[in-house]
Amino acid sequence: MDNKPDNAPDTHSESVGVPAPEGAANLIDTDYKIGQDNYQAAPIGVNIDIHGAVFTFSSLVILAFVVLTLALPDQSTAWFDGAKNWINTNMSWFLIGAANIFVILCLVLIFSPLGRVRIGGAKAAPDFSYLSWFAMLFAAGMGVGLMFYGVSEPLSHYGTSLGGVSMGEDGARTDWAPLGGAEGDPAGAMSLGMAATIFHWGLHPWAIYAIVALSLAIFSYNKGLPLTVRSMFYPLLGERIWGWPGHLIDILAVFATLFGLATSLGIGAQQASAGLSHLFGVPEGNTTLVLLISAITAVAVISIVAGVDKGVKRLSEINLVLAFILLMFVVFVGPTLMIATGFVKNLGSYITELPFLSNPFGREDANFSQGWTTFYWAWWISWSPFVGMFIARVSRGRSVREFLVAVLLVPSTVSVFWMTAFGTTAINQLQNGFEGAKNSDLPVQLFETLGQMPMAEITSFIAIFLVIVFFVTSSDSGSLVIDTITAGGKIDAPKPQRVFWGVIEGAIAIALLVGGGLAALQSAAVAAGLPFTVVLLVGCYAIVKGLMSEPRGK
């Protein structure tokens, strides 16, 4: 059987697909060989190794999308808005309920005997140190979002909570306050606003990533199946995953990944552009955005060619160091005591409000639950094939319990501390009379807040650099993942294919920004996230089914 551990390739030049398990593991008995349906050639001296159906269909549809969006921007904007509004109105309950299921399953697995299963076989050793592993998890998962929303979201929820509830003529709420708000109560508004922010950046998004990553890791590294999303469906579809049902699943994963990634890249480009304008007077507009995305995509391509160990790993470690420096600066130069005490208070508020914020039914705060929560869950879900597969690739050798604690709890804690530091600082400035951040556009609010602190030029430059490096890291690792899917699950496909997808990601981000700005980015993420939610729910079943058949360590 081609997928057994003792079946090694005859030559070093042959692609091995995924590493064989080390030690005891329960391989799936299939005659399918990873990459057997691939088209391999070397036109004009460039090696290619692609899954014909998945690569061809995905690339042609996406190229057509880019051309049509740029050619018909008004019609594209109308379609994006219509899709997002329909999903927000009719499917918000589904997305919020599904995210709750993901969190519950992850917590159950941490404390269950299944947590002793080791990814990659009973004797598998980790490929990366804890520091490198965590740096890659964090940079790939949330980097750009934390920079963009670290100030703006706590500030927004504080303001809407303080304003309280307002009703329209039809009796529906017109405010954006979470839950019932905290009208006229600054302390209550801050508590509720931070709880709402932590809700969006804590357990739920990381549980979404963990579900995809763990199911892919188990079915690839322990079961011997390709590292593609279709492998998650083997318990349901069996050998049919090698046919068109599996092709469609992988194609859907490519679409979801590209649009979720384009949303993050577009948001990062907007903030980098705003920072350059704020600091150096660089004119804002589509021309600057296009040039910025093109330049950063070129840097990402260089990182792609360097590979994971030299490219993504090093950039992720740089990100981690710079982010830590910026975070510590805000903590010690900002309202230090408020941040320190607020971290504990905010966690308490989050736990208290969690049952109400995560309730999928009968919500009266429709603007908040649909405009904020539904967008976030769809964004995380559309990003989950990319982040999940990347996490799976770098997590071989970890136990399930170790994996879930690292992926779910540790990054959530860091995200809470980040939001507390930047959010508390911005709200404190507002309470002391500075309204510059509150009255600015979202991409500028971080720089307005830093501008009220010492060494503003230096910290703003570090923030811009962080956004750009997060941008490069996301594009790099995203290209790696999409290439794996379109190469039939091979993790060692030729690098020119990764370069192709890196360029495509930049093109989609440009098309969405020019075709409709931030609203188009958000709409694309929501539209791509909804169908992939079904895939994640199947992944919940696949994880349990797959882990139950694996040997468990002590």
Side-chain angles (χ1 to χ4, degrees):
M1 187 177 66
D2 290 315
N3 290 336
K4 285 187 177 180
D6 58 354
N7 189 357
D10 295 328
T11 66
H12 292 291
S13 61
E14 182 180 349
S15 175
V16 297
V18 295
E22 299 177 26
N26 186 20
L27 285 165
I28 288 176
D29 186 11
T30 176
D31 291 329
Y32 184 84
K33 182 178 180 180
I34 295 174
Q36 73 175 34
D37 295 328
N38 283 17
Y39 171 74
Q40 298 176 327
I44 61 173
V46 177
N47 291 326
I48 59 172
D49 187 353
I50 58 176
H51 189 288
V54 176
F55 181 92
T56 303
F57 190 84
S58 299
S59 56
L60 289 178
V61 171
I62 289 166
L63 287 171
F65 168 84
V66 171
V67 172
L68 290 175
T69 302
L70 290 174
L72 304 170
D74 294 337
Q75 294 87 336
S76 300
T77 301
W79 186 89
F80 290 139
D81 289 343
K84 183 180 74 172
N85 292 337
W86 183 88
I87 292 171
N88 283 346
T89 303
N90 298 285
M91 300 304 295
S92 179
W93 64 271
F94 177 68
L95 287 165
I96 294 174
N100 293 340
I101 293 173
F102 305 146
V103 173
I104 292 170
L105 177 59
C106 288
L107 294 175
V108 168
L109 288 176
I110 288 175
F111 296 102
S112 77
L114 297 178
R116 299 198 301 267
V117 174
R118 185 164 295 277
I119 298 171
K123 295 183 179 180
D127 294 327
F128 300 98
S129 68
Y130 274 114
L131 180 61
S132 297
W133 183 44
F134 177 71
M136 287 188 282
L137 297 182
F138 192 77
M142 295 244 165
V144 171
L146 286 177
M147 295 297 297
F148 191 86
Y149 288 105
V151 165
S152 62
E153 186 171 355
L155 204 57
S156 175
H157 294 331
Y158 170 78
T160 56
S161 297
L162 191 63
V165 174
S166 60
M167 309 296 291
E169 295 180 357
D170 58 354
R173 283 177 59 173
T174 58
D175 63 275
W176 283 74
L179 302 178
E183 186 173 0
D185 179 8
M190 188 168 185
S191 176
L192 180 58
M194 290 307 303
T197 301
I198 293 170
F199 173 58
H200 291 149
W201 295 88
L203 294 177
H204 283 75
W206 288 100
I208 291 169
Y209 295 157
I211 291 296
V212 177
L214 185 57
S215 56
L216 288 173
I218 292 298
F219 279 90
S220 180
Y221 293 129
N222 292 63
K223 305 296 185 184
L225 299 183
L227 189 63
T228 59
V229 180
R230 74 174 72 199
S231 297
M232 295 163 50
F233 281 73
Y234 195 92
L236 286 179
L237 298 177
E239 294 295 311
R240 286 176 292 172
I241 67 169
W242 313 127
W244 268 103
H247 300 345
L248 293 175
I249 291 167
D250 279 350
I251 290 168
L252 177 60
V254 171
F255 291 161
T257 303
L258 278 170
F259 289 119
L261 187 60
T263 301
S264 298
L265 299 186
I267 286 174
Q270 285 191 325
Q271 189 169 37
S273 174
L276 291 171
S277 176
H278 182 79
L279 199 58
F280 302 113
V282 176
E284 293 189 75
N286 285 341
T287 301
T288 300
L289 289 173
V290 171
L291 291 174
L292 192 59
I293 293 174
S294 300
I296 297 176
T297 299
V299 176
V301 167
I302 296 173
S303 176
I304 287 168
V305 173
V308 175
D309 288 334
K310 295 180 180 179
V312 178
K313 177 184 172 183
R314 290 179 180 176
L315 286 174
S316 298
E317 290 170 347
I318 292 172
N319 280 357
L320 193 65
V321 172
L322 288 178
F324 180 78
I325 292 173
L326 184 62
L327 176 61
M328 289 299 101
F329 174 83
V330 172
V331 169
F332 289 112
V333 177
T336 307
L337 183 60
M338 284 185 65
I339 292 172
T341 57
F343 176 72
V344 178
K345 290 180 180 177
N346 293 341
L347 278 176
S349 299
Y350 166 61
I351 294 171
T352 301
E353 303 292 351
L354 182 59
F356 308 103
L357 290 168
S358 59
N359 173 30
F361 304 108
R363 296 289 290 267
E364 295 181 358
D365 55 345
N367 283 335
F368 170 81
S369 62
Q370 296 176 11
W372 280 99
T373 304
T374 300
F375 160 65
Y376 270 131
W377 288 184
W379 185 18
W380 304 144
I381 290 169
S382 66
W383 233 35
S384 65
F386 146 53
V387 180
M389 191 172 294
F390 182 74
I391 292 174
R393 283 199 57 171
V394 300
S395 299
R396 187 172 176 271
R398 306 289 178 182
S399 72
V400 169
R401 181 172 294 118
E402 183 183 18
F403 172 89
L404 288 174
V405 168
V407 175
L408 187 65
L409 300 183
V410 175
S412 294
T413 303
V414 175
S415 296
V416 170
F417 189 65
W418 181 282
M419 288 298 186
T420 295
F422 283 85
T424 299
T425 300
I427 293 171
N428 180 253
Q429 291 178 0
L430 177 62
Q431 291 175 338
N432 289 328
F434 175 69
E435 297 187 353
K438 173 191 172 185
N439 297 329
S440 298
D441 294 334
L442 291 184
V444 188
Q445 290 182 338
L446 170 64
F447 303 105
E448 289 286 350
T449 299
L450 293 175
Q452 295 302 299
M453 306 171 76
M455 299 186 291
E457 290 81 6
I458 296 175
T459 56
S460 294
F461 180 79
I462 290 175
I464 295 170
F465 185 78
L466 262 176
V467 170
I468 291 174
V469 177
F470 276 132
F471 191 142
V472 173
T473 306
S474 297
S475 179
D476 188 340
S477 44
S479 301
L480 198 67
V481 165
I482 295 170
D483 181 43
T484 299
I485 298 174
T486 56
K490 290 187 175 181
I491 63 173
D492 50 0
K495 289 179 181 177
Q497 297 170 199
R498 280 183 248 164
V499 172
F500 170 80
W501 289 114
V503 173
I504 290 295
E505 289 159 18
I508 291 177
I510 290 172
L512 289 170
L513 280 173
V514 173
L518 183 60
L521 292 169
Q522 293 178 338
S523 300
V526 171
L530 178 63
F532 207 76
T533 306
V534 179
V535 175
L536 266 69
L537 290 171
V538 173
C540 292
Y541 169 79
I543 286 175
V544 177
K545 187 78 172 176
L547 290 176
M548 288 179 66
S549 63
E550 285 296 305
R552 303 167 198 173
K554 296 181 180 180

